[in-house]
Amino acid sequence: MASSCFKVLSSSPWIGHRSFAANPSASSPPPRVSFAIRAGAYSDELVQTAKSIASPGRGILAIDESNATCGKRLASIGLDNTEENRQAYRQLLLTTPGLGDYISGSILFEETLYQSTKDGKKFVDCLRDANIVPGIKVDKGLSPLPGSNQESWCQGLDGLASRSAEYYKQGARFAKWRTVVSVPCGPSALAVKEAAWGLARYAAISQDNGLVPIVEPEILLDGDHPIERTLEVAEKVWSEVFFYLAHNNVMFEGILLKPSMVTPGAEHKNKASPETVAEFTLTMLKRRVPPAVPGIMFLSGGQSEAEATLNLNAMNQSPNPWHVSFSYARALQNSVLRTWQGKPEKIEASQKALLVRAKANSLAQLGKYSAEGENEDAKKGMFVKGYTY
């Protein structure tokens, strides 16, 4: 709800003068300068939404793939990329009985936000009835960044305010913006700054329109670098991100983060154990992320289903200042697709497969997951070099 603006007053002799060389008179005190701190109309609601998503034992189901990427998923089981097939698949996911026990939010693609079940019930209402917060992907994808080391920048700021207002009216309460950073490309200072500034502008616009922004600068798995190099890059990226979030007056209590786990490059000769991934990832977070942020919702980034769950579990073996959880797409959906195969008679079995993975990650968020009994398919990696969606 609306909160009144308040002012912070400073009497520092260095503030408010034309030059640092100015020498204020001893007989007259320096002028006092006020700084207005923005308090948006949705401040209280944003905090409540973020806390709801970052609730114990729950995480995010990401089904925000573009139509083209969803088509690739459907093609893997022999289905055409039609709106009817996309709607049927997402209905399968979003109407799974008991999903809200383990899932607190779901990121939707724009098409899905406005779709309904075959019986005419809006998907956003299906989610609300299950105590799951509807979210929306708002970026417009990656484009080559001129002047960089063959890197990318994320589009979508133009018109974002009006689009966000419409998404809020439709029922969305949080947003997602994904940009990427490539370790093999340097990364260049230009690409890191562009990623951080874009995320910060998006976050401020989202909060202005009632949407909790998920801040996602994905450090891509591509490369043969060691885990120490990933840590170095991740620290630099998150330092820039929070610098610009602060410059844009983003309220940290009303955001969620979606970082990559700190791992070696996918082509590195040595694979890191869950304990090592947890150690390096938590080191990065503790150095760069303020405790005011309510939730860290990790992406899986091409890890296998079991690997993503084991790494998350290792990070929750001791208390953290934030809710450390998941925002998985492939690591929740892969088993579902293999089970479904587009056959109506397999919908119930597919939904049970989703619940198995959701429950496993719920237990991992609580630090209580055991890999005992995991099937071999769940251990198969899903890394795709140069993956786009």
Side-chain angles (χ1 to χ4, degrees):
M1 301 305 129
S3 302
S4 59
C5 291
F6 59 91
K7 293 183 178 180
V8 177
L9 300 178
S10 172
S11 58
S12 168
W14 300 111
I15 298 175
H17 290 267
R18 293 180 180 273
S19 167
F20 285 111
N23 183 21
S25 168
S27 59
S28 60
R32 304 179 78 192
V33 179
S34 65
F35 294 90
I37 306 299
R38 182 172 64 88
Y42 295 97
S43 296
D44 293 343
E45 183 181 346
L46 292 168
V47 172
Q48 289 178 342
T49 299
K51 285 182 177 179
S52 175
I53 296 171
S55 54
R58 301 204 296 165
I60 293 174
L61 169 63
I63 57 169
D64 59 325
E65 303 90 352
S66 67
N67 289 347
T69 300
C70 189
K72 294 177 184 177
R73 305 272 171 87
L74 295 173
S76 72
I77 58 171
L79 291 182
D80 293 333
N81 185 15
T82 64
E83 182 177 356
E84 182 181 6
N85 285 337
R86 293 192 299 268
Q87 186 266 357
Y89 176 53
R90 285 158 173 166
Q91 177 173 327
L92 181 161
L93 297 169
L94 298 178
T95 60
T96 297
L99 188 62
D101 293 342
Y102 315 115
I103 299 297
S104 55
S106 183
I107 312 171
L108 310 177
F109 191 60
E110 186 175 59
E111 176 183 76
T112 316
L113 182 69
Y114 290 91
Q115 282 179 329
S116 302
T117 67
K118 289 184 178 180
D119 295 333
K121 185 174 183 178
K122 293 180 180 179
F123 281 151
V124 290
D125 291 334
C126 293
L127 290 171
R128 285 169 170 164
D129 289 348
N131 194 29
I132 299 172
V133 181
I136 178 69
K137 166 185 160 70
V138 298
D139 68 79
K140 293 295 185 179
L142 302 173
S143 184
L145 177 63
S148 70
N149 298 332
Q150 297 183 326
E151 295 161 289
S152 301
W153 68 288
C154 189
Q155 306 171 91
L157 289 177
D158 288 351
L160 180 58
S162 58
R163 286 191 290 121
S164 297
E166 287 301 316
Y167 296 150
Y168 183 91
K169 289 179 183 177
Q170 184 63 17
R173 289 298 178 268
F174 71 101
K176 179 202 140 175
W177 176 287
R178 172 189 180 256
T179 191
V180 301
V181 173
S182 169
V183 178
C185 287
S188 69
L190 173 63
V192 172
K193 183 174 182 178
E194 172 62 40
W197 178 255
L199 284 165
R201 290 303 306 138
Y202 138 78
I205 293 168
S206 294
Q207 287 191 340
D208 243 13
N209 289 280
L211 303 178
V212 169
I214 288 185
V215 179
E216 182 185 355
E218 180 177 353
I219 312 297
L220 296 173
L221 279 177
D222 303 63
D224 60 0
H225 49 278
I227 194 169
E228 291 82 3
R229 175 60 178 156
T230 309
L231 175 63
E232 180 184 15
V233 172
E235 287 188 4
K236 173 61 177 174
V237 170
W238 281 105
S239 175
E240 292 266 321
V241 167
F242 274 98
F243 176 80
Y244 287 115
L245 286 172
H247 267 250
N248 281 273
N249 297 315
V250 172
M251 182 176 63
F252 292 170
E253 292 87 350
I255 66 173
L256 296 167
L257 306 188
K258 187 169 179 175
S260 318
M261 297 180 190
V262 178
T263 68
E267 298 166 286
H268 188 63
K269 59 184 178 180
N270 296 323
K271 194 174 181 67
S273 68
E275 292 73 24
T276 300
V277 171
E279 178 187 356
F280 275 78
T281 304
L282 291 174
T283 294
M284 183 274 291
L285 293 176
K286 289 173 181 176
R287 288 175 176 173
R288 292 294 181 263
V289 179
V293 174
I296 314 291
M297 321 299 286
F298 282 102
L299 58 91
S300 55
Q303 301 176 65
S304 72
E305 291 177 324
E307 188 178 14
T309 308
L310 283 167
N311 289 340
L312 178 62
N313 186 69
M315 280 184 263
N316 282 296
Q317 293 307 301
S318 58
N320 294 302
W322 334 266
H323 174 82
V324 175
S325 191
F326 60 94
S327 177
Y328 293 164
R330 286 176 286 171
L332 283 171
Q333 295 183 44
N334 204 41
S335 292
V336 179
L337 277 167
R338 286 199 308 265
T339 304
W340 180 42
Q341 295 295 315
K343 299 176 181 178
E345 67 270 20
K346 291 192 174 183
I347 288 177
E348 184 177 350
S350 304
Q351 291 178 330
K352 287 181 179 177
L354 175 58
L355 288 180
V356 166
R357 293 269 33 109
K359 183 177 180 180
N361 287 296
S362 169
L363 290 170
Q365 196 288 310
L366 299 170
K368 298 178 180 179
Y369 170 73
S370 169
E372 186 177 350
E374 277 282 16
N375 64 56
E376 290 303 310
D377 282 342
K379 299 176 184 178
K380 293 180 181 178
M382 293 180 281
F383 170 72
V384 178
K385 190 172 183 177
Y387 178 74
T388 58
Y389 78 105

